[in-house]
Amino acid sequence: GVKAAHHDCLLLTTSNCTIPSRLWLRSMARHFVDKSVEVVIGYGRHCGNDDTPDHGHGSGRRTFDRLRSALLWVGSALVGKPLRGTACNLAYRRSVFFKHKGFSSALHLNYGDDDLFVNEIATAYNCVAEISPDAIVDQHESDMAYSHRAESLRREFTSAMLPRAPFRLMGSVSVALWIWLLASVVSVVYGAPSIVPPIVAVVMFAGMWIPVSLMWRKVCAVLEGGRQGWSALFLWLVQPIRTIGRRWSAWRRRRSNFTWG
């Protein structure tokens, strides 16, 4: 398909995506007016085959995982450190594709070629993230739970081949919450019966979590078209445990990620 293209700017999506806005092409392609831009990273919002947002058992966890992942790679691109992209909404120049020999570095993988390719070609100077409402596509899944688990395990495997600094920065949120929780418990226990330690712990929690919660709700509304509030706090706390479980599952299924497996 890339070889057959007649023009330099390529915009890609996948067969399970629909385009809600008539301005999608314009929103994604307008950045190529700048000759220095070679990569445009878009976003794909997950929904069911009936165009409804993710719902049902486990939908909160799935929404949290998608938002956390989006904050990682979209946020990295917005601050000039592009990490990965998504095949359902991605644009780049045909010339840069051939300059970097396409997906040659990922021919041994069944999945993750887009992540590795974007990480290889994108820099702070040639990459733009586009997350305006007109640029977001809808990615349909018949079984949200199954597709989410499969994608999570694939991304967990691929992430080992990407720079680790952004992942550590994202993980520091969970570490900060656990430090606050343990410090609060210790101070309350050893400070009893004084009411000062509980008051200090509550004030610290409000100062730390309320701004994060408000930001999280806004990001959820923009990217996923819904809202997620206080449940995100619990999910941030248990994220390290869930990550360990996913890494173990991804390692056990590692052979399925290789073309020769």
Side-chain angles (χ1 to χ4, degrees):
V2 176
K3 290 181 179 180
H6 294 287
H7 302 284
D8 190 41
C9 298
L10 309 174
L11 179 56
L12 299 90
T13 187
T14 53
S15 59
N16 65 331
C17 287
T18 56
I19 315 299
S21 174
R22 297 177 60 186
L23 301 178
W24 173 63
L25 277 171
R26 177 183 295 181
S27 301
M28 292 293 291
R30 62 190 175 93
H31 299 283
F32 289 117
V33 174
D34 184 348
K35 298 299 182 181
S36 65
V37 174
E38 295 179 319
V39 185
V40 180
I41 296 176
Y43 186 76
R45 178 173 49 224
H46 290 70
C47 59
N49 285 338
D50 54 357
D51 291 331
T52 59
D54 190 4
H55 55 78
H57 179 70
S59 60
R61 295 192 301 271
R62 292 191 292 272
T63 299
F64 173 82
D65 289 342
R66 289 193 292 266
L67 287 177
R68 186 176 179 274
S69 178
L71 283 177
L72 178 68
W73 57 269
V74 176
S76 296
L78 288 172
V79 299
K81 297 180 179 180
L83 183 68
R84 60 167 40 144
T86 173
C88 66
N89 199 2
L90 179 64
Y92 47 77
R93 294 187 184 273
R94 185 172 180 264
S95 55
V96 76
F97 179 85
F98 288 113
K99 178 181 178 181
H100 290 267
K101 299 181 181 179
F103 300 121
S104 60
S105 61
L107 291 179
H108 62 298
L109 299 175
N110 280 322
Y111 317 103
D113 48 356
D114 302 294
D115 287 354
L116 299 178
F117 182 62
V118 169
N119 183 254
E120 180 183 349
I121 67 174
T123 68
Y125 309 103
N126 72 346
C127 180
V128 175
E130 175 58 68
I131 55 172
S132 65
D134 287 326
I136 295 177
V137 304
D138 286 339
Q139 189 172 3
H140 300 269
E141 302 290 353
S142 57
D143 188 334
M144 300 292 288
Y146 174 81
S147 61
H148 175 72
R149 177 172 173 77
E151 182 179 0
S152 296
L153 293 179
R154 293 166 186 170
R155 286 194 176 275
E156 192 65 48
F157 177 84
T158 307
S159 64
M161 308 176 192
L162 299 173
R164 302 309 304 166
F167 294 93
R168 295 190 184 101
L169 180 62
M170 185 65 68
S172 65
V173 177
S174 295
V175 173
L177 283 173
W178 275 106
I179 290 175
W180 165 82
L181 181 61
L182 295 175
S184 297
V185 171
V186 170
S187 64
V188 170
V189 171
Y190 284 92
S194 173
I195 63 171
V196 174
I199 293 176
V200 172
V202 171
V203 171
M204 289 179 61
F205 170 80
M208 174 179 62
W209 184 248
I210 290 179
V212 174
S213 178
L214 293 174
M215 177 273 296
W216 189 259
R217 288 171 64 89
K218 290 182 179 179
V219 171
C220 185
V222 170
L223 297 182
E224 289 293 322
R227 292 191 178 276
Q228 188 176 50
W230 294 99
S231 61
L233 172 62
F234 172 76
L235 292 170
W236 274 114
L237 279 170
V238 301
Q239 181 59 33
I241 301 173
R242 298 179 66 218
T243 298
I244 292 173
R246 266 202 302 262
R247 287 181 179 176
W248 170 247
S249 297
W251 184 82
R252 290 180 58 193
R253 295 168 173 80
R254 62 191 183 280
R255 291 183 63 86
S256 64
N257 291 279
F258 296 102
T259 54
W260 44 262

